[in-house]
Amino acid sequence: MTPTTLTEIVARGDLFGYLPEPPPSPSAIAVDRELCEALVCQHCGHRGLSYEPFVRHSTGSYRVFAVCPSCAATVEV
């Protein structure tokens, strides 16, 4: 099975209205970044995924994705 990439998620429009920025809370950034760095890619086994946050300012919501630097597999955390 081919992994889903962040590029595909964006292209599908799943992040419409979101900007590729971290949330305003430094503590949320720290927790989310630490979580991503601790993850292991389910597709290739790479340890330590990249932190990719998206914010929707109009609602104050945000979404965080962990992206594998080796195979680009992406999971929302």
Side-chain angles (χ1 to χ4, degrees):
M1 179 180 207
T2 304
T4 300
T5 67
L6 187 55
T7 301
E8 292 168 334
I9 293 168
V10 171
R12 286 193 313 240
D14 293 355
L15 294 173
F16 180 77
Y18 284 85
L19 297 174
E21 308 175 353
S25 168
S27 60
I29 294 168
V31 168
D32 293 337
R33 186 182 303 271
E34 186 175 321
L35 174 62
C36 291
E37 291 172 354
L39 291 175
V40 175
C41 179
Q42 295 298 307
H43 293 278
C44 75
H46 184 89
R47 185 173 302 277
L49 305 186
S50 299
Y51 166 71
E52 298 292 337
F54 288 79
V55 175
R56 179 181 280 167
H57 293 287
S58 63
T59 61
S61 67
Y62 77 99
R63 296 172 71 178
V64 173
F65 296 88
V67 178
C68 179
S70 293
C71 72
T74 301
V75 62
E76 188 166 8
V77 293

